[in-house]
Amino acid sequence: MGQSLRIDIVSDVVCPWCVIGYLQMRKAIATLPGDVTVDVHWQPFELNPHMPAEGQDLREHLVQKYGPSAGRGSGARQQLTDLGNQLGFEFNYHDNMRIVNTFKAHQLLHWAEQHGLQTELKLALFTAFFTHSEDVSLNQVLVSAAESVGLPATDASEVLHSERYADEVRVQQRRWLDKDVHAVPAFSFNDAYPLPGAQGEDTFARYLTKVLAA
């Protein structure tokens, strides 16, 4: 009889290391025995919960948040770009890049989970933001991403306009903060084995083996 593995990933759609961490983990999952069923759930986290609707210049934001040296992070951006290329993901950093509010995106992801397309939508939003420099706080961008993975555009638009999942997303955000998750990505396996940060494939593989043997 096969084993089942639940993986919760706490992340934000504007978090580059969340992309890297997931893709590294996905490679490790591909090495698991064929009788292991993996169920991935994306949990909401806002890197910038007070970000205004108009967003902010990325360099300016990094300087305010982390200090002057953060505004000269070309080395870090190149590292991310190189890692992304190795994992089949394209980061397109540029001088005019803006950081945006992501609360609407998390509401749409909450809805997409009910349709079994949450991971597909998450990856589409990563691509929209990091590859195509799209503003993932805008309804039309979010609806387009939803439609691209097979979700009905009319329903996606209604979810965003009604904000019917806003309270549920806030509850989930508080749940993970109460679990002392204050940086992302953060991974939780079978709701019992936490693993912080964007680990490498080998680390994920060792951890998955440990969890399945527990």
Side-chain angles (χ1 to χ4, degrees), residues 78-98:
Q78 189 59 53
Q79 180 190 11
L80 284 163
T81 301
D82 292 344
L83 277 169
N85 288 337
Q86 294 169 25
L87 294 164
F89 186 88
E90 184 179 356
F91 287 99
N92 283 322
Y93 281 99
H94 55 86
D95 290 342
N96 297 320
M97 199 162 182
R98 296 181 70 79

Side-chain angles (χ1 to χ4, degrees), residues 37-196:
T37 301
V38 178
D39 191 18
V40 174
H41 299 265
W42 294 88
Q43 303 296 344
F45 186 97
E46 289 178 84
L47 285 169
N48 311 287
H50 305 297
M51 180 62 60
E54 67 271 17
Q56 185 181 20
D57 176 81
L58 179 59
R59 287 179 186 272
E60 176 186 294
H61 172 74
L62 291 174
V63 169
Q64 285 183 1
K65 195 169 185 178
Y66 302 111
S69 62
R72 302 187 295 271
S74 58
R77 288 191 290 273
Q78 189 59 53
Q79 180 190 11
L80 284 163
T81 301
D82 292 344
L83 277 169
N85 288 337
Q86 294 169 25
L87 294 164
F89 186 88
E90 184 179 356
F91 287 99
N92 283 322
Y93 281 99
H94 55 86
D95 290 342
N96 297 320
M97 199 162 182
R98 296 181 70 79
I99 198 78
V100 299
N101 188 289
T102 58
F103 186 52
K104 285 184 179 181
H106 288 300
Q107 293 174 62
L108 202 64
L109 285 161
H110 186 86
W111 167 70
E113 182 179 25
Q114 301 170 22
H115 295 270
L117 290 168
Q118 191 185 38
T119 292
E120 289 81 358
L121 179 58
K122 187 79 173 190
L123 292 174
L125 292 174
F126 281 147
T127 299
F129 183 72
F130 288 111
T131 306
H132 301 308
S133 300
E134 294 183 291
D135 184 343
V136 291
S137 70
L138 297 177
N139 283 9
Q140 61 264 36
V141 171
L142 294 170
V143 170
S144 178
E147 192 173 23
S148 75
V149 301
L151 290 161
T154 302
D155 292 352
S157 182
E158 190 277 329
V159 166
L160 294 170
H161 282 96
S162 69
E163 294 196 321
R164 57 180 148 116
Y165 296 112
D167 289 344
E168 292 178 49
V169 169
R170 292 294 188 213
V171 168
Q172 288 301 314
Q173 287 177 320
R174 286 193 295 271
R175 174 176 174 244
W176 290 98
L177 288 171
D178 289 344
K179 288 175 175 281
D180 290 325
V181 174
H182 299 288
V184 290
F187 300 81
S188 175
F189 301 88
N190 286 343
D191 204 28
Y193 301 90
L195 182 65

Side-chain angles (χ1 to χ4, degrees), residues 5 7 24-32 38 189 195 201-214:
L5 177 65
I7 304 175
Q24 295 278 30
M25 186 192 71
R26 190 170 68 177
K27 289 178 68 178
I29 288 172
T31 68
L32 294 175
V38 178
F189 301 88
L195 182 65
E201 178 189 352
D202 292 344
T203 300
F204 275 119
R206 287 194 300 272
Y207 207 78
L208 290 168
T209 298
K210 182 179 91 169
V211 171
L212 289 170

